Amino acid sequence: MASVASGRSLSRAIAPYAFVLPPVIYLGVFMFGPLGRQIWMSLTNTRIINPNAGRYIGLRNFERLFSDSGFYDSLRITALYAAASVVLGVMAGVISALAINQPFRGRAIVRAILLFGWAAPNVATSLIWLWMYNGQSGVFNDIAMALGLERINWLTSAEMALPSILIVTVWQTAPFVMLVILAALQSTPEEVKEAARIDGADRLNVFRNVTLPHILPSVQLVSLLTAVWAIRRFDIIYLLTGGGPLGSTSTLVVKIRQTAFENYELGMASAYGVIGLVLALLVAAVHFIVERKRAQWMAR
Amino acid sequence: MAFRLNSRRSFALAMLAVSGAAASGQIALAQSAKEPVTLVIANSQWVDALRGKNLWNALLKYKQVAPHVTLEQEAIPSSEFDNKMTTEFGAGLGPDIAMMQEGLFYSIADAGYLVDVSKAVEGVKNLNRTNDNGVINGKRVGVAWQRAVYALIYNKPLLDAAKVKPPSNLDELIAASKAVTAATGAIGFTSRHQIADFGGWFMDFQNWAYGYGVNWVDGKGKLTINTPQAIAAMAAFKKMYDAKIIPIGDTMPTQRTRFKESKVAFSIDNSGGTLNIASGGALAAKDLYAAPLPFEHPGAHQQIFVGVSTHSKKQKAAIEFLAWLVSPDGQQALRDASGPDALATDVPITEAFRAANPWAETFAELAVKSRSTLIPGREVDTGPIMRTVMEALEKVLVAGADPKIALAEAQKQADSKF
């Protein structure tokens, strides 16, 4: 009996580790392993054409990187793109969620239409937008001409390229934000709202004092995700502008691609990647600090 | 007794057999190795509409000589080809045989991933100069697949409708383009013009650069970016860009499709691209013509080499295949599918093709003086060096920078980087 009991307690002790083991192996093989390799490569002069022949060169890649004005430009563009993606994407998503949360006829159809941007593959989406932005035969310039305006160089002018990409980004990320916020909205307790209304709160006050605090954690989460995705986003930017014109859309990720696949400098590209990783970690750290402070405040 | 390629002697015999087959039309190579073998051949052209199929069918004729060999495609779009190849080769994987643009070919060769294929051309007396750059550091690591020279192509019915003649200089090109647009509504001229198209744009721009007499490197190997010739070439490109004759923002596939659909009067394109335009579109091949580039000096060509990977476990079979490819049978098979592109040996285009494609003759003539898009002695670094140049050109086009100042900055950057 004792041995059966000790066997049970042993298996109970092992069970959590057994459950955790598969994801640990997965993360180790597919995430931490490559990550470690990337960090190592950032300290070498590895070329993509011969990835096993890289030589250790210390921090020389980072020295080159920090002395290159193009790096600071790409950092600035990445930050601008990420911030605008978060602000506009989350705002559009929250507004859509609030609208779609109201009962009206055809709500399911509208919801499906709004979700299309999220469901469509990025490459297909980018190619469709590329055509719509086309200077000669794109629908946006057709509209501009119909309104008596000049043709607009949506993707070929340094002023318009980033805003044009942001429009596509928001069109694509807002539906996801909408879904998450909608779920949060639908779990908002109706009785609290009702109580607020009975106490004389108008719609704006109900939203500000009941709905908003309830959906705020979800807003924070989607903001974090949107920011990290924006820092990592490559396909839309690369397909629409390739980082141009005049580097106006050259984010860190586009720079990584250019360094690795056009200049063949895998070591240098890895150094760019490490900076990108630090950026993403910083965003995540800010989120967790804010989240912890909020939890502490709630616990008081 | 099975004849196996286990020694140099037997290999030499196999080569002799190839020569014999070539001379007599008999099939001898089939005897050299009877074990089934599959050769994977990577080429971006496999995905080209019509041309890809024709080229592949040409290679399948090898089956008649070597029935034990199965050829398998690795088809990758040209925009991704270099990335995929460098990644695969770098990882110790990849195809047995690859058809590579000259720039990629040099990089792969420089990394030591291409085997010596000199045995494939042993005894071949008629290799032409398109094969010269296949010898790197005294070792033949590639043979020519195709050389596609550039020319000014035009839609003759549109020119006739506007009553204009093929231009012989830039001002005439701009005037003729505007005249066609005014008369027919068609687009005047198409040209790559965006950094998003960098890989193709820098090669296209070499036509302008060479056309104005540019040499990106001097006799001592020093980079010469900000020369008066380069300034003139950039100013000329800017003049064309500002003349509102090209559809700003169009990618090259869109431009070619527009030309194919008879909506463009002029373009500067290579013979491979022109063959694509002439195949299966609204514009009949008989209405597509070509003229020399509207510049003072000759232009550029794109060259594709065939190489055998050091990672291949079937190198002997791959070299045998190459031996067939440069034999008269292989070259004739390739000629029929290659339009007017120059091949590894001088195989004239057929009368029937010439008659159906009036544009072809000009390309053949221009091939005599064309230059590689790569910078001599800087072949491996040509891409990064030209990025510096093209970014300067982008500043001139988009931000209105002075070509002289933009090129002076590019020279500084190039001097510090290369």
Side-chain angles (χ1 to χ4, degrees):
Chain A
M1 284 294 278
S3 68
V4 172
S6 71
R8 266 188 200 153
S9 67
L10 183 68
S11 57
R12 263 191 205 143
I14 290 172
Y17 297 103
F19 281 117
V20 167
L21 195 62
V24 166
I25 292 171
Y26 175 84
L27 289 173
V29 172
F30 293 107
M31 214 169 160
F32 296 117
L35 200 62
R37 179 91 195 264
Q38 186 198 349
I39 292 168
W40 163 248
M41 275 205 295
S42 71
L43 306 172
T44 68
N45 63 353
T46 306
R47 291 179 71 79
I48 197 164
I49 202 78
N50 216 339
N52 295 317
R55 200 167 39 82
Y56 176 74
I57 54 165
L59 295 172
R60 218 174 298 164
N61 284 330
F62 291 95
E63 279 170 26
R64 250 181 77 193
L65 196 140
F66 290 126
S67 61
D68 177 11
S69 64
F71 163 68
Y72 296 102
D73 287 342
S74 70
L75 215 55
R76 182 181 54 79
I77 293 162
T78 307
L80 187 64
Y81 173 70
S85 297
V86 172
V87 172
L88 298 174
V90 171
M91 211 190 289
V94 170
I95 291 169
S96 308
L98 289 171
I100 210 91
N101 195 37
Q102 306 299 319
F104 61 89
R105 270 183 80 178
R107 187 167 74 155
I109 295 167
V110 173
R111 193 182 298 182
I113 291 169
L114 286 175
L115 275 176
F116 181 76
W118 176 251
N122 283 3
V123 173
T125 299
S126 304
L127 293 177
I128 291 167
W129 281 89
L130 196 61
W131 269 104
M132 294 201 293
Y133 279 136
N134 187 284
Q136 195 77 19
S137 46
V139 66
F140 292 132
N141 269 353
D142 285 350
I143 294 168
M145 301 284 277
L147 294 173
L149 302 171
E150 287 274 297
R151 283 184 194 280
I152 298 165
N153 293 327
W154 297 100
L155 299 172
T156 52
S157 79
E159 294 77 28
M160 287 305 298
L162 193 60
S164 301
I165 284 175
L166 271 169
I167 291 171
V168 184
T169 307
V170 170
W171 180 80
Q172 208 179 32
T173 51
F176 171 76
V177 177
M178 182 191 81
L179 262 188
V180 175
I181 303 301
L182 191 62
L185 280 173
Q186 289 180 347
S187 67
T188 310
E190 226 14 79
E191 59 274 18
V192 182
K193 282 189 195 172
E194 193 59 41
R197 278 189 212 111
I198 290 166
D199 287 345
D202 59 10
R203 288 181 75 171
L204 188 64
N205 271 320
V206 170
F207 176 75
R208 208 166 54 189
N209 297 309
V210 181
T211 312
L212 192 59
H214 194 80
I215 64 169
L216 207 55
S218 303
V219 172
Q220 270 182 19
L221 181 70
V222 288
S223 300
L224 170 75
L225 290 175
T226 311
V228 173
W229 289 337
I231 291 168
R232 292 187 342 193
R233 185 162 290 111
F234 171 74
D235 39 16
I236 293 176
I237 303 170
Y238 187 72
L239 284 165
L240 290 180
T241 62
L246 296 173
S248 59
T249 59
S250 186
T251 59
L252 265 180
V253 186
V254 171
K255 206 82 173 154
I256 289 172
R257 193 254 177 216
Q258 189 190 317
T259 310
F261 292 104
E262 281 177 21
N263 298 353
Y264 297 158
E265 293 181 283
L266 204 53
M268 188 67 183
S270 300
Y272 270 106
V274 168
I275 300 294
L277 176 72
V278 170
L279 258 184
L281 287 177
L282 274 177
V283 172
V286 169
H287 166 78
F288 286 116
I289 290 167
V290 171
E291 183 59 25
R292 178 178 281 187
K293 283 197 171 160
R294 199 182 65 83
Q296 283 169 351
W297 181 79
M298 296 280 279
R300 265 192 283 164
Chain B
M1 189 182 79
F3 182 79
R4 298 176 72 109
L5 294 173
N6 288 332
S7 65
R8 284 188 169 193
R9 196 174 156 197
S10 58
F11 190 79
L13 283 170
M15 291 302 107
L16 200 65
V18 173
S19 313
S24 63
Q26 296 299 308
I27 299 165
L29 194 62
Q31 305 302 316
S32 66
K34 294 240 170 80
E35 281 184 14
V37 59
T38 299
L39 292 175
V40 177
I41 305 176
N43 190 348
S44 66
Q45 293 169 317
W46 303 150
V47 297
D48 286 355
L50 204 59
R51 178 169 71 152
K53 193 178 165 193
N54 291 342
L55 285 169
W56 185 248
N57 286 338
L59 294 196
L60 289 182
K61 289 183 180 165
Y62 183 56
K63 266 290 204 191
Q64 296 167 7
V65 183
H68 63 293
V69 176
T70 302
L71 300 181
E72 200 174 276
Q73 286 187 6
E74 184 174 350
I76 306 154
S78 59
S79 56
E80 288 306 313
F81 191 79
D82 285 16
N83 295 348
K84 188 108 192 267
M85 284 297 102
T86 46
T87 310
E88 287 188 357
F89 273 94
L93 303 167
D96 300 298
I97 297 166
M99 281 78 174
M100 296 163 279
Q101 286 276 0
E102 209 169 6
L104 175 67
F105 171 74
Y106 267 94
S107 298
I108 300 278
D110 187 56
Y113 292 144
L114 295 178
V115 301
D116 188 336
V117 294
S118 51
K119 287 194 171 76
V121 298
E122 264 177 14
V124 182
K125 302 277 188 218
N126 58 341
L127 282 185
N128 59 27
R129 72 187 189 104
T130 65
N131 294 278
D132 293 353
N133 288 351
V135 178
I136 297 175
N137 297 329
K139 195 167 82 170
R140 175 163 293 287
V141 289
V143 292
W145 167 252
Q146 292 169 334
R147 174 177 286 187
V149 68
Y150 286 87
L152 177 74
I153 59 171
Y154 59 92
N155 179 324
K156 192 161 186 304
L158 288 179
L159 266 68
D160 289 345
K163 296 189 174 77
V164 295
K165 287 182 178 168
S168 58
N169 60 47
L170 180 61
D171 289 333
E172 285 179 17
L173 172 66
I174 292 170
S177 300
K178 286 182 173 172
V180 171
T181 303
T184 67
I187 292 165
F189 181 59
T190 57
S191 168
R192 283 189 174 102
H193 56 276
Q194 300 176 87
I195 209 77
D197 253 348
F198 169 73
W201 188 27
F202 94 74
M203 288 196 269
D204 285 7
F205 181 68
Q206 297 293 36
N207 289 294
W208 295 72
Y210 298 167
Y212 282 81
V214 169
N215 284 305
W216 296 117
V217 69
D218 67 13
K220 291 175 186 167
K222 186 187 178 305
L223 286 171
T224 46
I225 305 286
N226 63 339
T227 58
Q229 292 85 351
I231 293 166
M234 269 197 188
F237 198 93
K238 168 78 169 161
K239 190 175 183 182
M240 179 277 293
Y241 186 86
D242 286 347
K244 297 191 173 173
I245 56 173
I246 63 167
I248 303 289
D250 268 11
T251 60
M252 194 58 177
T254 305
Q255 292 173 20
R256 280 189 176 146
T257 304
R258 288 193 200 279
F259 208 116
K260 211 169 175 162
E261 295 309 311
S262 214
K263 288 174 180 159
V264 178
F266 297 102
S267 186
I268 290 176
D269 210 333
N270 62 51
S271 47
T274 307
L275 180 63
N276 247 342
I277 289 169
S279 312
L283 175 63
K286 68 176 177 54
D287 292 331
L288 179 58
Y289 280 68
L293 297 170
F295 310 125
E296 200 175 326
H297 302 280
H301 59 243
Q302 282 187 31
Q303 168 96 38
I304 300 177
F305 280 102
V306 195
V308 174
S309 169
T310 52
H311 306 312
S312 168
K313 292 185 172 59
K314 305 147 201 166
Q315 291 175 15
K316 286 180 180 174
I319 292 171
E320 282 181 342
F321 171 77
L322 252 58
W324 171 81
L325 194 67
V326 295
S327 75
D329 285 350
Q331 290 287 286
Q332 193 56 55
L334 202 54
R335 161 54 66 224
D336 296 338
S338 298
D341 287 5
L343 303 179
T345 64
D346 293 331
V347 188
I349 49 176
T350 63
E351 278 310 314
F353 185 86
R354 199 186 301 264
N357 296 276
W359 52 274
E361 190 66 40
T362 305
F363 281 96
E365 286 164 7
L366 291 171
V368 178
K369 287 186 177 170
S370 62
R371 288 162 62 185
S372 166
T373 54
L374 301 186
I375 301 170
R378 305 280 190 139
E379 288 84 0
V380 176
D381 284 331
T382 293
I385 293 169
M386 286 309 293
R387 178 166 270 279
T388 312
V389 173
M390 301 315 283
E391 283 177 353
L393 178 56
E394 196 190 26
K395 278 181 201 159
V396 172
L397 300 182
V398 181
D402 181 342
K404 197 173 178 180
I405 295 168
L407 279 169
E409 282 171 17
Q411 178 78 59
K412 261 189 212 164
Q413 278 182 38
D415 288 342
S416 67
K417 275 190 199 167
F418 307 103

